[in-house]
Amino acid sequence: MKSFRSAIRLALAVTLLAMAARAASGEEVGVSEDAILFGQAAALEGPSSALGQRMRQGIVAAFTEINAKGGIHGRKLQLISRDDGYDPDRSVVQTLRLIEDDRVFALIGAVGTPTAMATIPITSARNVPFIGPFSGAEFLRDLELPNVVNIRASYGAEAEAWIKHLTEDRHFTRIGIFYQDDSFGRDGLAGVKSALAKRGLELAAEGTFERNTRAVGSAWRMIRRAEPEAIVMVGTYGPCAEFIKLAHRSGAYPTFVNISFVGANALAHELGPDGEGVIVSQVVPFPWDRSLKVVADYQAAQKAFDPTLPPDFVSLEGYLSGRLTAAALESLGPNPTRAGLLRVVNDIGRFDISGNIITVGARAIDTPPKVFLTVIQKDGTFKAVDRL
């Protein structure tokens, strides 16, 4: 973390020069008379593509809704999305293309912890807002990252919700973990160990897999020896589904609990009949609860954008990021700048999006985003629950 912060401080020094040059020209990158251009670097193809695609769908649905009402101070919101394959090196390349070639005003809807760690120093160096990353990594909550606008709960908060349920509701003591062997997985691992330690417990077993693979056999062999009552999972939908099906084929039926980043709808689709009873934590409202105004608005916006798209946790998160961005720009006024957007976001710190309160920056420390649990039903749908 120290080396990461050192890189950020160096990047901020470069930022001052970039801001001075822009001020001299009297222009803001990505802003024209009739449009504001945003960029997204995310997995749009490959084994994690559902995550990037659905984040994009939600953002575009929000932008389409805003544009239909005249945009923001007469400007339409536009999005360019580039595929990074959920790979840090590719994400650096695509992020630089968005900033230097496409000349976007801000980045929005990035997917993943390792990709964010690789690209945030780049965005900080250019004072480019980094809005709504689809990651619960702890470093994204660091107030020393002034250009990051995080709206979701941390993986530590999700881990606490899992362990609370498994130990207090289910009275389990033998809990294993299956996690992606990178910064994302290790962040989840740390959260689980911390939540268990609070209760005087330790992990019964752990197994890992490599990002963008479905090679989970060795992880299952490691974990099954402990005969865990529950297995918490920190990965994307493909390998997590493969692991659960492998366990079932082996005759084992522990309780499975998945992180929100898994892509809940994609996981349920991959699992089919093996999905019944699998738990997934969530950090956005229930996308089918139309009694919530924000959900009704989201569904209407998504239908207007593409009537074939079903409601989904990930696209709802993208929609919320898009709506928050629009709300901040509206408050900023008719002459948007990157620095101004970040100032407004952090000064306000609390946004009411159709009755759903989103807190960011220092406000999120005092009033952290919520986490709740869902369980996959026999027919592949989800049930939201407070206590299982």
Side-chain angles (χ1 to χ4, degrees), residues 264-265 282 284-288 311-317 372 374 382:
N265 294 67
Q282 308 294 352
V284 297
F286 198 63
W288 298 272
D312 171 85
F313 293 99
V314 180
S315 61
L316 176 54
E317 186 164 338
F372 71 100
T374 61
F382 286 83

Side-chain angles (χ1 to χ4, degrees), residues 199-271:
R199 296 162 173 85
L201 297 172
E202 295 182 352
L203 278 168
E206 55 183 273
T208 66
F209 68 98
E210 291 187 14
R211 181 179 59 245
N212 283 334
T213 73
R214 293 188 180 224
V216 302
S218 61
W220 168 240
R221 287 190 292 273
M222 288 287 293
I223 294 174
R224 71 178 301 181
R225 297 171 190 165
E227 298 183 347
E229 298 163 292
I231 299 173
V232 297
M233 315 185 79
V234 186
T236 55
Y237 55 92
C240 288
E242 192 69 28
F243 186 92
I244 292 170
K245 288 189 284 189
L246 178 58
H248 288 174
R249 288 197 299 270
S250 303
Y253 289 85
T255 296
F256 290 103
V257 184
N258 282 262
I259 203 161
S260 62
F261 185 85
V262 73
N265 294 67
L267 176 68
H269 177 75
E270 290 257 350
L271 283 171

Side-chain angles (χ1 to χ4, degrees), residues 59-218:
I59 295 165
V60 174
F63 284 3
T64 301
E65 175 186 345
I66 297 299
N67 292 342
K69 298 175 181 177
I72 302 297
H73 299 290
R75 294 185 178 93
K76 301 296 177 68
L77 307 183
Q78 300 176 352
L79 180 68
I80 296 175
S81 297
R82 294 195 177 279
D83 176 37
D84 68 10
Y86 190 33
D87 175 83
D89 292 338
R90 288 179 62 188
S91 196
V92 166
V93 171
Q94 298 293 31
T95 297
L96 286 170
R97 286 184 67 189
L98 287 164
I99 295 172
E100 296 179 353
D101 298 341
D102 300 318
R103 295 179 59 78
V104 300
F105 173 73
L107 292 170
I108 187 171
V111 171
T113 299
T115 48
M117 290 193 76
T119 57
I120 282 178
I122 296 170
T123 64
S124 296
R126 294 157 175 80
N127 199 41
V128 178
F130 195 84
I131 304 168
F134 185 61
S135 167
E138 199 62 42
F139 81 95
L140 294 171
R141 284 138 195 82
D142 191 336
L143 297 183
E144 290 191 28
L145 295 177
N147 72 309
V148 176
V149 181
N150 172 71
I151 72 168
R152 68 179 353 255
S154 69
Y155 291 148
E158 291 192 61
E160 171 62 24
W162 304 340
I163 302 306
K164 178 180 174 65
H165 164 63
L166 293 173
T167 59
E168 298 178 19
D169 296 348
R170 299 284 188 96
H171 306 292
F172 291 160
T173 57
R174 296 194 316 279
I175 299 170
I177 185 170
F178 169 73
Y179 65 96
Q180 188 167 289
D181 190 14
D182 63 8
S183 54
F184 161 48
R186 288 188 288 274
D187 201 292
L189 173 67
V192 170
K193 285 185 173 180
S194 176
L196 285 170
K198 284 172 57 177
R199 296 162 173 85
L201 297 172
E202 295 182 352
L203 278 168
E206 55 183 273
T208 66
F209 68 98
E210 291 187 14
R211 181 179 59 245
N212 283 334
T213 73
R214 293 188 180 224
V216 302
S218 61

Side-chain angles (χ1 to χ4, degrees), residues 267-292:
L267 176 68
H269 177 75
E270 290 257 350
L271 283 171
D274 285 288
E276 184 178 6
V278 171
I279 299 166
V280 186
S281 54
Q282 308 294 352
V283 298
V284 297
F286 198 63
W288 298 272
D289 185 3
R290 289 182 56 83
S291 69
L292 301 175

Side-chain angles (χ1 to χ4, degrees), residues 22 27-39 75-78 80 98-99 102-106 329 336-338:
R22 226 171 23 247
E27 298 177 352
E28 184 58 278
V29 175
V31 178
S32 64
E33 288 187 6
D34 58 1
I36 303 176
L37 184 61
F38 292 82
R75 294 185 178 93
K76 301 296 177 68
L77 307 183
Q78 300 176 352
I80 296 175
L98 287 164
I99 295 172
D102 300 318
R103 295 179 59 78
V104 300
F105 173 73
L329 285 170
T337 64
R338 290 168 170 172

